[in-house]
């Protein structure tokens, strides 16, 4: 057992609480309506998973400014929930021996990474030519956000990608790390990530209205979004597969994904354990900004760590994992606890709904220990 994992296991909160009965669907609807009023959110969907099975799917409010209703089959933007789905796909490749979590990704490329021509689909790898540390990067580091990259290269001065710390030595959220792993799969191993996601994730789990790129048949039941000031933003018809966040999905489909993840569908027991195991401690006060200073040891949460494609935590109900995702007009979260294989997944096509997430998850699952203040920083939540 790795030292950090041993430390985490010794510092769990007190006795693990027995799983309480889940609230009935009518009560969940009523609580969603109450919290939508409190946050002024126009649209909100929520799914409940129990014992690895989808037991409730709710969709309330509007999907667009014209007032069309949000339904369980409305296509919504998954944002960074894509990362969890991508990690799940990569772990299937690990099980098949296609890629090794701990082999440097450089070994899968036919030339040094900085020698590849820059493409709009990926980061500008050429700007790493004077920093040989890229050769240390592994799939495990990239999936656990330990690449040393900023979140995205366009946030850097002059858009030049940089490595800010020795790879593998700390957590710092980076979409660009997932994009690098996509690049390795596509340019190094000759795979099509969009096709692999379709076959290994969406088809496997029956996610019939989910895709990594825009599909014309989505247009008939599609969610636009609302920003924090209440203005509307049209759905982005994404034309490029992006492992960091291009997935469109529906409330029904994202429920199937969460159920598949929590029960380990299609993964070996070893890979399922790796996904939700504490890979590395998270040492910052909040997730963003991504390259903030680490906290002194005494101020760090001992129950919080990076998994593979997800964040893992320990709370009153034992071990759990979660993943958030948002942009200016979308707020999403997926929270799962291992005990009872239970999850709540929330898709909000109004970013103001995020202020209700802790109350909603608590209403359905009880207190779980999700690190809301780390995820959202100083945000004020409604009760």
């Amino acid at each position: 057992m790795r030292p950090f994992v041993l430390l985490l296991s010794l510092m769990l909160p007190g006795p693990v609480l027995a799983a309480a009965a889940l609230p009935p669907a009518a009560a969940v609807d009523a609580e969603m309506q109450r919290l939508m009023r409190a946050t002024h959110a126009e649209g909100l969907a929520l799914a409940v998973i129990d014992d690895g099975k989808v037991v409730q799917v709710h969709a309330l409010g509007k999907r667009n400014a014209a007032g069309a209703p949000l339904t369980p089959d409305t296509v919504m933007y998954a944002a960074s929930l894509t990362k969890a789905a991508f990690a799940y796909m990569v772990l299937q490749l690990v099980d098949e021996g296609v890629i090794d979590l701990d082999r440097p990704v450089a070994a899968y490329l036919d030339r040094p990474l900085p020698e590849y021509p820059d493409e709009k689909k990926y980061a500008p790898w050429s700007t790493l030519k004077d920093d040989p540390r890229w050769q240390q990067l592994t799939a495990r580091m990239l999936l656990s956000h330990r690449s040393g990259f900023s979140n995205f290269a366009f946030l850097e001065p002059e858009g030049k990608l940089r490595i800010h710390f020795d790879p593998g030595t700390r957590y710092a959220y980076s979409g660009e790390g997932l994009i690098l792993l996509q690049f390795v799969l596509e340019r190094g191993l000759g795979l099509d990530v969009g096709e692999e996601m379709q076959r290994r994730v969406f088809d496997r789990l029956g996610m019939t209205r989910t895709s990594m790129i825009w599909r014309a048949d989505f247009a008939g039941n599609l969610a636009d979004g609302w920003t924090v000031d209440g203005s509307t933003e049209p759905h982005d018809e994404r034309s490029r597969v992006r492992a960091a966040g291009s997935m469109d999905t529906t409330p029904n489909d994202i429920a199937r994904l969460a159920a598949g993840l929590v029960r380990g569908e299609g993964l070996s027991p070893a890979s399922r354990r790796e996904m939700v195991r504490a890979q590395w401690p998270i040492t910052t006060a909040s997730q963003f900004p991504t390259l903030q200073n680490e906290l002194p040891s005494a101020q760090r949460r001992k129950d919080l760590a990076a998994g593979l494609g997800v964040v893992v935590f320990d709370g009153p109900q034992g071990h759990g994992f979660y993943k958030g995702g948002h942009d200016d007009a979308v707020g999403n979260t997926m929270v799962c606890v291992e005990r009872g294989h239970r999850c709540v997944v929330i898709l909000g096509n109004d970013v103001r709904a995020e202020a209700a997430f802790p109350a909603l998850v608590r209403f359905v699952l009880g207190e779980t220990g999700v690190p809301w203040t780390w995820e959202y920083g100083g945000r004020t939540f409604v009760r």
Side-chain angles (χ1 to χ4, degrees):
M1 184 178 286
R2 297 189 179 188
F4 172 64
V5 180
L6 177 61
L7 175 64
L8 191 64
S9 65
L10 292 174
M11 301 189 72
L12 295 180
V16 174
L17 300 177
L22 295 170
V28 175
D29 263 350
E31 183 67 0
M32 290 174 66
Q33 290 167 352
R34 182 185 74 83
L35 290 167
M36 287 174 69
R37 290 192 296 270
T39 61
H40 306 288
E42 296 284 359
L44 187 65
L46 181 149
V48 182
I49 289 82
D50 187 26
D51 193 28
K53 304 178 184 69
V54 180
V55 295
Q56 295 180 28
V57 180
H58 306 257
L60 301 177
K62 306 171 186 176
R63 64 178 176 88
N64 57 28
L70 188 70
T71 75
D73 286 320
T74 297
V75 171
M76 305 175 74
Y77 178 43
S80 285
L81 296 187
T82 308
K83 294 180 174 68
F86 176 70
Y88 170 57
M89 184 274 287
V90 171
L91 286 169
Q92 293 177 41
L93 296 174
V94 170
D95 279 339
E96 295 171 15
V98 175
I99 192 167
D100 188 295
L101 286 173
D102 296 307
R103 187 183 187 193
V105 296
Y108 299 102
L109 300 174
D110 61 8
R111 71 185 90 165
L113 179 64
E115 292 184 8
Y116 283 85
D118 293 342
E119 301 176 60
K120 187 176 181 180
K121 182 176 180 179
Y122 307 112
W125 313 125
S126 64
T127 61
L128 299 175
K129 62 184 176 60
D130 296 323
D131 191 339
R133 290 180 294 177
W134 67 266
Q135 298 173 66
Q136 302 170 24
L137 293 165
T138 66
R140 186 186 303 276
M141 292 177 192
L142 299 175
L143 289 174
S144 57
H145 296 277
R146 293 184 287 141
S147 62
F149 298 146
S150 61
N151 195 5
F152 290 106
F154 66 77
L155 300 172
E156 297 273 25
E158 300 178 344
K160 293 182 177 180
L161 189 65
R162 298 168 52 201
I163 298 176
H164 292 265
F165 54 82
D166 289 343
T169 60
R170 62 164 287 192
Y171 176 99
Y173 190 82
S174 175
E176 221 63 275
L178 279 290
I179 296 298
L180 174 55
L181 187 52
Q182 176 184 346
F183 177 84
V184 170
L185 296 180
E186 294 185 333
R187 294 291 182 267
L189 294 174
L191 302 176
D192 183 309
V193 164
E195 292 179 0
E196 295 296 324
M197 292 289 288
Q198 185 66 48
R199 179 169 64 91
R200 295 175 178 275
V201 183
F202 311 147
D203 292 347
R204 176 190 293 277
L205 299 176
M207 301 168 67
T208 59
R209 284 177 59 77
T210 299
S211 175
M212 292 291 284
I213 56 172
W214 172 253
R215 281 173 21 192
D217 63 302
F218 290 167
N221 189 357
L222 179 69
D224 295 329
W226 279 268
T227 64
V228 70
D229 65 2
S231 59
T232 56
E233 187 171 295
H235 191 96
D236 188 347
E237 299 178 5
R238 290 168 176 79
S239 60
R240 289 180 291 155
V241 172
R242 297 274 289 175
S246 69
M247 186 170 73
D248 278 327
T249 190
T250 69
N252 275 332
D253 280 5
I254 202 69
R256 295 184 180 102
L257 174 65
L261 293 180
V262 79
R263 66 177 183 259
E265 178 80 19
L267 294 180
S268 69
S271 284
R272 173 56 172 72
R273 285 193 299 271
E274 284 301 302
M275 186 171 191
V276 301
R277 181 176 71 78
Q279 300 283 331
W280 198 263
I282 289 175
T283 55
T284 53
S286 58
Q287 184 165 212
F288 298 103
T290 60
L291 295 167
Q292 65 188 271
N293 292 334
E294 297 180 280
L295 291 169
S297 294
Q299 297 178 27
R300 298 174 185 176
R301 288 185 59 152
K302 305 300 189 294
D303 60 347
L304 180 61
L308 299 179
V310 295
V311 171
V312 302
F313 62 92
D314 288 282
Q317 298 183 48
H319 194 61
F321 64 92
Y322 91 99
K323 183 70 189 80
H326 76 206
D327 65 11
D328 288 344
V330 166
N332 304 324
T333 196
M334 173 175 61
V335 174
C336 298
V337 289
E338 297 286 77
R339 186 182 182 89
H341 287 169
R342 288 179 160 183
C343 305
V344 170
V345 194
I346 305 172
L347 299 180
N349 62 321
D350 188 326
V351 75
R352 293 172 294 186
E354 289 179 326
F357 287 0
L360 266 175
V361 172
R362 189 181 308 112
F363 182 82
V364 177
L365 294 180
E367 188 54 62
T368 58
V370 178
W372 299 114
T373 55
W374 177 81
E375 173 76 12
Y376 292 107
R379 160 161 282 185
T380 300
F381 300 110
V382 299
R383 292 184 175 275

